[in-house]
Amino acid sequence: MNQFSKEYLVVAQNASGRNMHVPLYRFSGHRPGPKVYIQSSIHGAEVQGNVVIYHLVQWLKQHSICGEVMLVPNCNPVGTNIKSGEYTLGRFDPVNGTNWNRGYLYDEDLVTSFAQTVLAEESVASIKQRFRAQIKKRLQQALDAPWGIGLAQQLNLKLQQLAFDADIVIDIHNGPVSTRHIYIPKYASAAATQFNIPHVIFIPNKFAGALDEATFCPWWSLAEYLKTNKGREIELGVEAFTLEMGSQEVINFTEGEYDARSILSYLNSKGCLADADVGAENIARYAVDLHHYKTLFTHQGGIVEYLAKPGEHVKQGQALARVLNVDALDTPDATETITAPCDLIPILHFPSASVLSGTQLYKCFTHYQQLT
Ligand SMILES: [Zn+2]
């Protein structure tokens, strides 16, 4: 059976000078295999991932793996504990306003200068080992910088140091009111049919601050550089994903078990599990390129009934939402219907019924294609 260990990583310190730490659950198999890193709840209100990790821990206690799996539930102890009345305000670092999933580091110049040191005869294992050491050194330099960095960035870089050791990185999130969807880098598109997630967003090799991008951009860029400038094609075997496991502020144990099996199915396809009978489900999967994943902003403020449910297939002109304007109850303008600008699948919508103008009301798949 797997070896198990548990330790704690300090990721922040509160105003009383007390360390705030996260648990690291590590399972190591007796056979070699990929290293896997899975974290949840970097956004404090997005809690379903903790149930998914709970189910993964139960599974990993019973079944052998190849390689190593590290699990970091509730990886943002600051964000989880920022409540305002009934709600968790876990999206932004309260001190600096930074999104908790935008403070990771990617240094393109480091990738380019490293690529120039790769010799024609150097093995992939050696390239990976040297590259990891350089990136982790760079992360430590950023953490140790004499002028310091913000709270979110400190926490992000400490987690990124762990994640960059892995071949497979999975960052579990939730939408506001949302159906399940996954962000997949274009080069790893085969993974789309291994997860049991019905909505897939293919993303380019572009860094915007998130953990999945901070993981795959360096490797993808390194492979591209070596191909273009040195005529060498290498398979680095690193993949990273953001999984959106339904709506924030709620957990569901039954769905969490399904979500865990979805991750296990993908891990099995990558050779991480020893003799496990876990495969992808035969479900309908729809995919878009990132630029076809569109946000519908409100022109008006008011009180909204959300008519289209996440995951529904909506035709152009069909009603998405109905808005009540309390300033015009005695006139024909008391209500207004917001309709779909084109055929679409709403993936998530704003969680509150009261909205200001310019609110991100829905995020939708447009020009989608059916994958399976
Ligand atoms: Zn999130």
Side-chain angles (χ1 to χ4, degrees), residues 42-43 46 91 101 173-174 244:
I42 189 70
H43 291 138
E46 304 175 14
R91 196 162 184 80
N101 191 29
H173 290 245
N174 292 94
E244 303 275 351

Side-chain angles (χ1 to χ4, degrees), residues 77-132:
V78 185
T80 308
N81 289 296
I82 304 170
K83 308 290 283 192
S84 176
E86 298 94 331
Y87 298 101
T88 312
L89 303 179
R91 196 162 184 80
F92 301 98
D93 159 359
V95 188
N96 305 295
T98 323
N99 184 320
W100 286 110
N101 191 29
R102 294 293 181 276
Y104 298 98
L105 185 146
Y106 172 50
D107 183 346
E108 179 132 22
D109 291 342
L110 190 154
V111 176
T112 313
S113 58
F114 176 85
Q116 285 158 3
T117 70
V118 174
L119 301 172
E121 65 275 15
E122 185 171 5
S123 70
V124 171
S126 163
I127 296 172
K128 286 179 78 169
Q129 194 212 338
R130 284 202 306 120
F131 192 51
R132 284 206 162 102

Side-chain angles (χ1 to χ4, degrees), residues 35-337:
K35 264 190 167 184
V36 180
Y37 173 90
I38 301 175
Q39 71 174 33
S40 63
S41 296
I42 189 70
H43 291 138
E46 304 175 14
V47 283
Q48 174 70 3
N50 301 313
V51 183
V52 180
I53 288 181
Y54 161 73
H55 284 293
L56 287 172
V57 167
Q58 307 318 309
W59 196 93
L60 290 163
K61 281 159 77 176
Q62 305 287 336
H63 300 85
S64 296
I65 56 169
C66 306
E68 184 186 296
V69 177
M70 181 186 280
L71 303 153
V72 188
N74 212 23
C75 70
N76 181 355
V78 185
T80 308
N81 289 296
I82 304 170
K83 308 290 283 192
S84 176
E86 298 94 331
Y87 298 101
T88 312
L89 303 179
R91 196 162 184 80
F92 301 98
D93 159 359
V95 188
N96 305 295
T98 323
N99 184 320
W100 286 110
N101 191 29
R102 294 293 181 276
Y104 298 98
L105 185 146
Y106 172 50
D107 183 346
E108 179 132 22
D109 291 342
L110 190 154
V111 176
T112 313
S113 58
F114 176 85
Q116 285 158 3
T117 70
V118 174
L119 301 172
E121 65 275 15
E122 185 171 5
S123 70
V124 171
S126 163
I127 296 172
K128 286 179 78 169
Q129 194 212 338
R130 284 202 306 120
F131 192 51
R132 284 206 162 102
Q134 292 243 338
I135 299 269
K136 285 166 68 182
K137 193 171 144 202
R138 177 75 186 80
L139 294 171
Q140 195 57 48
Q141 280 168 351
L143 281 164
D144 295 339
W147 290 95
I149 51 174
L151 175 64
Q153 212 183 354
Q154 283 183 28
L155 182 136
N156 283 166
L157 297 193
K158 286 179 180 176
L159 296 171
Q160 191 179 353
Q161 283 183 314
L162 292 177
F164 209 78
D165 256 336
D167 304 295
I168 291 165
V169 171
I170 293 177
D171 193 13
I172 310 181
H173 290 245
N174 292 94
V177 173
S178 174
T179 185
R180 281 165 171 67
H181 53 293
I182 180 169
Y183 291 86
I184 294 187
K186 262 251 154 99
Y187 74 94
S189 58
T193 53
Q194 298 302 329
F195 289 99
N196 301 320
I197 298 180
H199 305 100
V200 176
I201 302 154
F202 289 123
I203 56 176
N205 182 27
K206 201 171 152 207
F207 181 67
L211 178 64
D212 56 348
E213 300 155 350
T215 306
F216 68 68
C217 281
W219 294 106
W220 188 347
S221 304
L222 176 62
E224 282 298 302
Y225 185 95
L226 294 177
K227 190 165 95 180
T228 311
N229 296 290
K230 302 205 167 190
R232 183 170 174 196
E233 282 201 48
I234 55 168
E235 181 54 62
L236 291 164
V238 176
E239 297 187 349
F241 310 97
T242 297
L243 276 60
E244 303 275 351
M245 294 300 200
S247 305
Q248 64 189 24
E249 294 280 29
V250 290
I251 63 167
N252 182 311
F253 280 89
T254 307
E255 288 178 10
E257 194 167 5
Y258 183 83
D259 295 332
R261 288 197 81 78
S262 166
I263 290 171
L264 289 168
S265 160
Y266 163 74
L267 294 182
N268 204 15
S269 77
K270 303 308 284 185
C272 303
L273 312 183
D275 313 318
D277 183 24
V278 190
E281 302 241 338
N282 186 18
I283 58 167
R285 294 177 178 84
Y286 297 89
V288 288
D289 286 332
L290 183 62
H291 63 278
H292 285 138
Y293 185 39
K294 303 276 279 185
T295 303
L296 181 75
F297 289 88
T298 48
H299 291 283
Q300 65 280 68
I303 305 168
V304 174
E305 180 182 1
Y306 297 92
L307 300 170
K309 302 292 170 237
E312 258 180 45
H313 289 221
V314 172
K315 288 280 174 207
Q316 182 178 12
Q318 200 177 318
L320 287 173
R322 198 167 175 208
V323 187
L324 179 69
N325 180 346
V326 295
D327 229 20
L329 297 183
D330 55 329
T331 77
D333 297 330
T335 71
E336 195 177 338
T337 301

